[in-house]
């Protein structure tokens, strides 16, 4: 799990940059497939990007959430190699995601 916080860029700016990266990857590699959905997390709507792909011949699953909270744009990435992705491991990652708490600036 990785978390980035950006208090200098707007949500639209960050979202446009991330969407462009996903689209470029998909255009350059037919095997790169992603889904983009809106999800409710942390009391707000987040853009979720879901990918299953191979990096250096190692398959992985990635869920990336993008949202703004209290004037800060957050990107949270959950990534796990499929070789170790059991239901229990994936549940632990999602439990860690849901345990995040945000305070006011």
């Amino acid at each position: 799990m990785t978390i980035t916080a950006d208090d200098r860029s707007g949500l639209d700016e960050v979202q446009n940059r991330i969407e462009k990266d996903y689209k470029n990857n998909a255009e350059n590699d037919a095997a790169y497939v992603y889904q983009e959905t809106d999800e409710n997390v942390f009391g707000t709507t987040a853009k979720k990007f879901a990918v299953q792909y191979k990096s250096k011949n190692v398959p992985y699953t990635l869920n990336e959430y993008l949202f703004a909270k209290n004037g800060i744009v957050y990107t949270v990435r959950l990534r796990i190699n499929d070789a170790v992705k059991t239901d229990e491991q994936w549940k632990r990652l999602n439990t860690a995601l849901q345990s995040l708490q945000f305070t006011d600036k």
Side-chain angles (χ1 to χ4, degrees):
M1 176 188 300
T2 60
I3 303 168
T4 60
D6 184 346
D7 63 353
R8 295 183 180 180
S9 303
L11 180 61
D12 290 339
E13 178 185 348
V14 176
Q15 182 174 330
N16 288 337
R17 185 173 57 237
I18 290 173
E19 284 176 340
K20 183 180 177 183
D21 288 343
Y22 279 103
K23 287 177 184 175
N24 284 340
N25 288 340
E27 288 172 2
N28 292 325
D29 186 344
Y32 189 92
V33 178
Y34 71 97
Q35 293 180 323
E36 183 178 331
T37 58
D38 292 327
E39 300 231 346
N40 290 319
V41 292
F42 313 115
T44 191
T45 301
K47 187 63 72 174
K48 176 184 173 186
F49 301 91
V51 177
Q52 288 192 302
Y53 188 63
K54 289 182 183 180
S55 177
K56 298 181 183 173
N57 219 20
V58 177
Y60 67 88
T61 299
L62 166 73
N63 285 348
E64 182 170 11
Y65 298 87
L66 172 67
F67 58 95
K69 191 91 171 153
N70 302 323
I72 300 172
V73 177
Y74 293 94
T75 306
V76 180
R77 301 179 93 208
L78 302 179
R79 179 180 166 157
I80 189 167
N81 289 344
D82 289 354
V84 296
K85 182 185 161 198
T86 63
D87 289 341
E88 189 61 32
Q89 288 285 65
W90 192 240
K91 182 180 174 184
R92 283 185 188 126
L93 272 176
N94 282 290
T95 298
L97 170 70
Q98 295 303 321
S99 74
L100 296 175
Q101 295 183 15
F102 300 87
T103 58
D104 293 333
K105 258 182 159 178

